[in-house]
Amino acid sequence: LDVLKQLATLQRRVGDNDGALETAKMALEVNAEEPSALTMSAQIFLEVQDYAQAAVLFEKVIALQPDNMNAIFNLAIAYRQTDQDEKAVGLFHRTVEADPSDKEAWMQMGILYDKLEKFDDAIQSFEKVTELDPANARAWRAVSRAYARKSDVVEGDEAAECVKKAEEAFNMAESISSQ
């Protein structure tokens, strides 16, 4: 099993995804309940964009290791890719509860909230990224987009305030990008 894990890792590093996938399947045949084999295999399935199989394997990892934050994050990615957005949001929440400084989990959560048209939650998530990384132009653009989208569904002073904040965030993103 150790040899298969090392072989799959090497195959991934050299870009042999088909070989890595076959090796991962062999590792699962040897021991489909061993957490490191499951994790390695799930990661390979995620990388080759077989999100449904990656989700199945990450679910098994989490059943064996409920506090494995990497598996939880990656399961959230697999869920997001299979349009299980509410499940993904819940897992990203677990990730940021465990590590409030996880910028990528905050970003992914914001993207999902924006997709679900939960604009206040999206804005809060994106703004958390900008607090953690003030020079993150991607996050500032996301804040701008979420405020702009919110301005389309609210009225009056609230809409005007959203437009103003969208413009401010956009200007911040442009300023960062031009540096």
Side-chain angles (χ1 to χ4, degrees), residues 106 109-115 118-127 142-143 146:
W106 282 110
M109 199 163 42
I111 291 167
L112 285 168
Y113 279 135
D114 190 58
K115 178 181 176 185
K118 296 180 178 181
F119 300 119
D120 290 333
D121 292 328
I123 291 164
Q124 182 181 10
S125 297
F126 294 138
E127 286 181 341
V143 170

Side-chain angles (χ1 to χ4, degrees), residues 26-37:
M26 283 189 268
L28 291 173
E29 288 174 14
V30 170
N31 188 348
E33 299 303 317
E34 202 279 316
S36 66

Side-chain angles (χ1 to χ4, degrees), residues 73 80 85 88-90 92-93 96 102-129 138-139 142-143 145-147 149:
F73 179 89
R80 188 188 72 158
D85 297 335
V89 166
F92 285 127
H93 266 288
V96 298
D102 187 336
K103 296 178 284 198
E104 191 55 32
W106 282 110
M107 190 71 177
Q108 293 298 322
M109 199 163 42
I111 291 167
L112 285 168
Y113 279 135
D114 190 58
K115 178 181 176 185
L116 295 168
E117 297 184 357
K118 296 180 178 181
F119 300 119
D120 290 333
D121 292 328
I123 291 164
Q124 182 181 10
S125 297
F126 294 138
E127 286 181 341
K128 183 65 177 179
V129 178
R138 176 180 171 225
V143 170
R145 186 176 49 255
Y147 271 119
R149 291 191 55 189

Side-chain angles (χ1 to χ4, degrees), residues 34-45:
E34 202 279 316
S36 66
L38 284 166
T39 300
M40 178 268 306
S41 298
Q43 188 64 43
I44 290 170
F45 279 100

Side-chain angles (χ1 to χ4, degrees), residues 148-166:
R149 291 191 55 189
K150 182 180 176 183
S151 74
D152 289 339
V153 297
V154 296
E155 298 178 357
D157 290 342
E158 187 177 7
E161 184 65 21
C162 287
V163 169
K164 177 183 170 196
K165 289 185 177 187

